[in-house]
Amino acid sequence: MLRYCVLFGFLMLGILGFSQETTPKDSVADYYVRFEGDSILYSSIALDEVYLFGKLEFADRKEKLRYYILRRKTLKVYPYAKLAAERLEEMNDSLLKIKKRRHRKKYTKTVQKYVEGEFSDELKKLTRTEGQILIKLIYRQTGKTAFDLVKELRNGWRAFWYNTTAKAFKISIKEEFHPEKIHEDYLIEDILQRAFAAKKLERQKSVLDYDYAQLSNKWKKEKAKNN
């Protein structure tokens, strides 16, 4: 199972030059950092967290195969979920500037058609399981189910029919993402974090409130208890 620790990142001094200044304060020197091209002095530097991942461990070949199939499908559909979140954020920012209701409705309809055109051809090629993973990742990125997003973009009746059609293919567009409760969802999160670290995917932070380190500890203990 995953073993890792959270370490502090490092500052790339080769890219950004810096200078230090000291100010006397009760006979103790306080050090400040100023980056090249910036007039502001900083008493500390905020560093990103860096995850070091342990070797993946599997109970048997079947479990290993399931994980790698899930990884392939997650890496395939994540860019669509990321793009959907970006388009939704752009739309919401624009709607704040549109006051009249009919203009807001017209703009929303235009965006909806644009997004459908952008996605439709590729999404038709997804398998059922890839589609379900995408639905979960959309919730991860937006905090809303695909059903709720359709309901906002169109209306409740259209969302109902979208959900009914999806059910015919055993896909629920009301699906949420809960890595703290569902082991497969945690595996999807683990796959994403490893892909972010390896620069295979562009990182987009989830809007959901959970801590990856705590999730890993939780599922590691669950596995040890069940073995």
Side-chain angles (χ1 to χ4, degrees):
M1 188 57 185
L2 175 68
R3 295 180 300 171
Y4 67 93
C5 60
V6 180
L7 301 178
F8 285 110
F10 59 89
L11 181 65
M12 300 176 65
L13 297 179
I15 298 177
L16 295 174
F18 71 93
S19 62
Q20 293 183 335
E21 297 184 8
T22 62
T23 303
K25 181 179 179 182
D26 295 334
S27 301
V28 177
D30 289 338
Y31 288 87
Y32 295 89
V33 176
R34 183 173 59 198
F35 294 96
E36 185 176 357
D38 192 346
S39 60
I40 301 176
L41 297 178
Y42 299 90
S43 60
S44 62
I45 302 172
L47 301 177
D48 294 331
E49 290 180 335
V50 175
Y51 294 101
L52 296 183
F53 303 92
K55 183 180 179 181
L56 290 169
E57 298 178 2
F58 305 98
D60 51 38
R61 186 176 180 278
K62 187 176 181 181
E63 182 179 276
K64 180 178 180 180
L65 182 61
R66 280 201 303 265
Y67 179 87
Y68 281 104
I69 290 175
L70 182 64
R71 184 175 74 171
R72 175 176 57 80
K73 294 182 177 183
T74 299
L75 297 182
K76 179 179 179 179
V77 303
Y78 170 79
Y80 298 120
K82 179 177 179 294
L83 185 59
E86 291 170 349
R87 293 293 181 267
L88 181 65
E89 184 177 2
E90 291 170 4
M91 185 187 75
N92 288 336
D93 288 343
S94 297
L95 285 176
L96 292 175
K97 303 172 185 177
I98 302 176
K99 303 303 180 183
K100 292 186 178 180
R101 183 177 179 180
R102 62 187 180 88
H103 291 166
R104 289 167 61 91
K105 187 175 181 180
K106 182 179 180 180
Y107 173 76
T108 300
K109 188 175 182 180
T110 300
V111 172
Q112 176 261 320
K113 287 184 177 180
Y114 171 72
V115 171
E116 279 190 359
E118 194 173 27
F119 279 102
S120 59
D121 290 340
E122 290 300 321
L123 295 185
K124 288 175 183 177
K125 301 175 185 177
L126 297 182
T127 65
R128 183 187 67 81
T129 52
E130 288 168 349
Q132 196 64 78
I133 293 171
L134 174 59
I135 296 299
K136 289 187 175 187
L137 291 181
I138 286 176
Y139 186 84
R140 180 190 187 272
Q141 302 310 121
T142 67
K144 297 180 180 180
T145 65
F147 179 87
D148 289 334
L149 291 176
V150 172
K151 191 174 180 179
E152 288 179 10
L153 287 172
R154 296 194 174 185
N155 54 51
W157 181 247
R158 194 62 179 264
F160 168 78
W161 283 112
Y162 266 59
N163 193 52
T164 302
T165 303
K167 279 183 178 179
F169 296 96
K170 297 183 180 179
I171 295 176
S172 171
I173 63 172
K174 294 182 179 180
E175 193 79 17
E176 298 181 357
F177 183 70
H178 292 290
E180 75 285 0
K181 298 178 183 178
I182 303 171
H183 187 247
E184 183 177 278
D185 288 1
Y186 163 69
L187 291 179
I188 291 173
E189 184 65 28
D190 177 68
I191 289 165
L192 291 178
Q193 293 299 332
R194 289 174 182 269
F196 295 153
K199 307 298 182 183
K200 292 181 179 179
L201 292 177
E202 184 178 351
R203 183 184 296 274
Q204 185 184 61
K205 188 176 180 181
S206 171
V207 301
L208 305 180
D209 184 21
Y210 58 80
D211 182 85
Y212 174 62
Q214 292 179 0
L215 290 178
S216 297
N217 288 332
K218 165 188 165 59
W219 288 108
K220 182 177 180 180
K221 291 177 181 177
E222 286 286 334
K223 184 173 182 178
K225 184 173 63 176
N226 295 330
N227 289 340

